[in-house]
Amino acid sequence: DHQGGILMKLKKNMRRFDPRTCTECKSDIPRGQKYGKKTKSIPYKQTLMTDCPKEEVPDWAWQTVYFKQEFDFCEKCCIKKGWV
């Protein structure tokens, strides 16, 4: 029984030239192999006040933007982590 709700759905790797690599064990995920994908949002602060040094920019002038970064995991690691 899986705690935490949603199970990860494994996809089949169809990439021909740009091989996927497992984030966990660093092994290549060959074409036709199943893999899982996780997305992480990475916060990044930015400001429109670029004409003065960073230290002088007031707190209210900063805004947080999020970059989405995707991570691939091989089937073995997905099973080991209990995601499938």
Side-chain angles (χ1 to χ4, degrees):
D1 187 1
H2 179 78
Q3 302 92 19
I6 308 160
L7 283 174
M8 178 186 278
K9 197 171 185 150
L10 294 178
K11 298 169 182 72
K12 193 181 248 187
N13 185 16
M14 298 312 275
R15 276 196 195 165
R16 213 175 282 239
F17 304 113
D18 181 23
R20 294 179 190 276
T21 306
C22 178
T23 306
E24 189 73 15
C25 69
K26 306 293 179 242
S27 66
D28 277 349
I29 302 165
R31 187 164 192 257
Q33 198 70 50
K34 287 186 170 179
Y35 73 98
K37 186 185 265 322
K38 279 212 174 262
T39 306
K40 189 177 178 184
S41 290
I42 295 152
Y44 174 80
K45 294 252 186 222
Q46 77 173 18
T47 182
L48 296 173
M49 292 178 71
T50 51
D51 53 347
C52 60
K54 246 192 207 165
E55 300 76 41
E56 292 174 23
V57 177
D59 284 347
W60 58 262
W62 290 95
Q63 107 186 59
T64 305
V65 228
Y66 291 92
F67 286 104
K68 257 172 71 170
Q69 196 169 350
E70 291 184 331
F71 298 95
D72 295 329
F73 293 90
C74 71
E75 190 174 10
K76 268 192 206 144
C77 288
C78 290
I79 292 166
K80 215 188 309 179
K81 288 182 164 287
W83 294 334
V84 285

